[in-house]
């Protein structure tokens, strides 16, 4: 039985033990993510001081080349995920093509990730995050990544906010762990997260109102009539984290400029859809459940509407 304050490593191990055929591989895979997340979290905290902010190519006072935080995060994740030996292939928002780590030749899994989500918020000290999605390797080709979100073995995110919180699911419950920076451990803080059946918040970039179709315009206008509040942080991890806890709607729709929206299916929409659905909510492109979309390319974009069941059902009509 999971209790508040339980260490994430122990929680992962106990979850794995429930499966008789488990080999410990997923535990090692998830542990690699948490190690990388701790290092990224420490750097995010130092961003204003350590000269992490700024353009790549700048030399800091130690004479080291300063990296932008998204490049740094990508490098740390690639290093830890590769070294774990559990991943046959890695795909990242920051890399055009997948990477096949030497040590992962016998890896059972592939992972797609957004190393730093909400990068435009870095310089203004607003919450950012990391998103990941794990699938089982099927044939060692690009097809490993082009599997439906429903087939994810695990998915989650880390939010670097007023505290660092890791939220993940292996297909059953969704659980959140808060990093205790004094000891460097993620401790269970949000057991069995359930999204409220309905919320009072909508989250969408309303500056693009004029680019929306008539249906969406009238739907959002109706939400205003009903007295919903608007909250839009502009980093998906933060907006989804709030939606998961407080309910309501988060959306990044298609519009006249971005015909498929902006968010990426493999490492933004699908993992978030997996978490929201496992927490009792819904995630859709507007016409199809996000978890049923069969990807056709690595960096594909999809429209996203996710959140409380009652609110999303109303949108898709
Ligand atoms: P990233 O920083 O990984 O490129 O992602 C940014 C995304 C997402 O986090 C957020 O929901 C969205 O961009 C915001 O876009 P707009 O500024 O167009 O609203
Ligand atoms: Mn992103
Ligand atoms: Mn990103």
């Amino acid at each position: 039985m999971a209790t508040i304050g339980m260490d994430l490593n122990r929680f992962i191990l106990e979850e794995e033990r429930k499966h008789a055929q488990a080999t410990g591989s997923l535990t090692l895979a998830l542990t690699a993510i948490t190690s990388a997340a701790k290092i990224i979290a420490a750097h995010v905290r130092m961003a204003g001081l350590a000269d992490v902010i700024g353009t790549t190519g700048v030399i800091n006072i130690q004479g080291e080349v300063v990296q932008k935080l998204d490049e740094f995060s990508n490098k740390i994740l690639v290093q830890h995920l590769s070294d774990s030996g559990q991943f046959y292939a890695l795909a990242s928002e920051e890399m055009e093509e997948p990477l096949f780590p030497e040590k992962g030749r016998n890896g059972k899994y592939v992972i797609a990730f957004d190393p730093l989500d909400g990068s435009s918020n870095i310089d203004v000290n607003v919450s950012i995050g990391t998103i990941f999605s794990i699938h089982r390797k099927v044939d060692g080709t690009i097809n490993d990544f082009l599997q439906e979100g429903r087939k994810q073995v695990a998915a989650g995110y880390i939010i670097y906010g007023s505290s660092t919180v890791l939220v993940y699911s292996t297909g059953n419950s969704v659980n959140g762990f808060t990093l205790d920076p004094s000891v460097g451990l993620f401790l269970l803080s949000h057991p069995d997260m359930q999204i409220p059946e309905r919320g009072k918040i909508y989250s969408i970039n309303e500056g693009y109102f004029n680019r929306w179709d008539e249906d969406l315009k009238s739907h959002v206008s109706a939400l205003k009539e009903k007295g919903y509040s608007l909250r839009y942080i502009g980093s998906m991890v933060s907006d989804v984290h709030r939606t998961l806890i407080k309910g309501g709607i988060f959306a990044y729709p298609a519009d006249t400029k971005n015909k498929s929206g902006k968010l990426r299916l493999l490492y933004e929409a699908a993992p978030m859809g997996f978490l929201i659905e496992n927490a009792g909510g819904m995630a859709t492109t507007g016409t199809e459940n996000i978890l049923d979309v069969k990807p056709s390319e690595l960096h594909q974009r999809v429209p996203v509407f996710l959140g409380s069941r009652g609110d999303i059902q109303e949108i898709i009509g």
Side-chain angles (χ1 to χ4, degrees):
M1 181 55 196
T3 45
I4 297 276
M6 184 186 223
D7 173 27
L8 173 61
N9 289 331
R10 194 150 68 83
F11 185 93
I12 296 172
L13 271 171
E14 292 196 3
E15 265 219 315
E16 180 141 27
R17 269 199 214 120
K18 289 180 195 157
H19 305 280
Q21 71 292 22
T23 57
S25 176
L26 188 60
T27 296
L28 291 170
L30 292 169
T31 307
I33 298 170
T34 64
S35 306
K38 285 180 203 171
I39 296 171
I40 298 169
H43 275 257
V44 168
R45 298 281 168 247
M46 294 193 311
L49 294 169
D51 227 3
V52 189
I53 293 173
T55 328
T56 308
V58 173
I59 309 291
N60 70 11
I61 43 169
Q62 281 86 32
E64 299 155 347
V65 175
V66 175
Q67 286 181 315
K68 280 164 82 178
L69 210 47
D70 34 15
E71 287 176 24
F72 172 82
S73 307
N74 189 57
K75 193 183 84 180
I76 294 293
L77 279 158
V78 166
Q79 186 186 322
H80 283 256
L81 300 174
S82 300
D83 280 351
S84 77
Q86 308 307 314
F87 296 105
Y88 181 78
L90 322 178
S92 161
E93 186 196 14
E94 300 297 329
M95 306 187 299
E96 198 54 40
E97 299 294 335
L99 201 129
F100 300 87
E102 188 68 27
K103 284 189 182 169
R105 265 174 312 192
N106 298 317
K108 286 206 294 195
Y109 301 108
V110 300
I111 183 165
F113 52 93
D114 180 352
L116 218 280
D117 174 67
S119 13
S120 67
N121 280 322
I122 299 171
D123 291 359
V124 290
N125 219 339
V126 171
S127 299
I128 49 185
T130 296
I131 313 172
F132 63 91
S133 159
I134 301 177
H135 276 96
R136 212 171 288 284
K137 171 194 167 199
V138 282
D139 63 4
T141 72
I142 190 74
N143 293 332
D144 294 341
F145 289 107
L146 306 182
Q147 303 185 64
E148 294 86 346
R150 197 167 294 293
K151 294 188 181 152
Q152 286 168 107
V153 174
Y157 62 79
I158 298 101
I159 176 169
Y160 312 107
S162 48
S163 51
T164 298
V165 176
L166 181 146
V167 174
Y168 90 104
S169 174
T170 51
N172 301 308
S173 57
V174 179
N175 295 279
F177 300 80
T178 302
L179 181 64
D180 179 342
S182 63
V183 290
L185 294 173
F186 278 106
L187 304 173
L188 182 62
S189 50
H190 298 71
D192 194 13
M193 296 173 86
Q194 295 289 332
I195 185 168
E197 181 56 33
R198 243 182 206 284
K200 296 193 186 88
I201 297 172
Y202 71 100
S203 183
I204 189 168
N205 190 335
E206 210 167 346
Y208 305 152
F209 188 89
N210 291 334
R211 300 191 213 150
W212 298 346
D213 63 30
E214 292 310 313
D215 262 11
L216 185 59
K217 284 181 182 169
S218 62
H219 193 84
V220 170
S221 303
L223 293 174
K224 286 189 219 282
E225 292 294 321
K226 286 190 203 158
Y228 274 53
S229 289
L230 167 63
R231 297 279 185 276
Y232 189 75
I233 298 166
S235 66
M236 186 194 198
V237 169
S238 316
D239 284 313
V240 170
H241 188 62
R242 183 201 54 251
T243 306
L244 189 55
I245 292 173
K246 297 202 166 175
I249 304 170
F250 166 78
Y252 204 110
D255 62 31
T256 51
K257 187 172 163 212
N258 300 303
K259 306 278 184 217
S260 304
K262 175 184 184 187
L263 300 175
R264 315 290 185 140
L265 175 57
L266 294 192
Y267 40 82
E268 291 180 321
M272 291 312 204
F274 188 77
L275 293 169
I276 290 287
E277 200 167 284
N278 285 317
M282 279 178 81
T284 169
T285 63
T287 53
E288 192 181 4
N289 186 314
I290 281 175
L291 299 185
D292 293 329
V293 179
K294 172 99 175 105
S296 54
E297 50 184 301
L298 209 56
H299 299 288
Q300 175 176 350
R301 299 173 198 268
V302 278
V304 172
F305 299 85
L306 59 77
S308 296
R309 193 157 275 278
D311 290 303
I312 298 296
Q313 259 159 358
E314 230 165 57
I315 280 211
I316 53 182

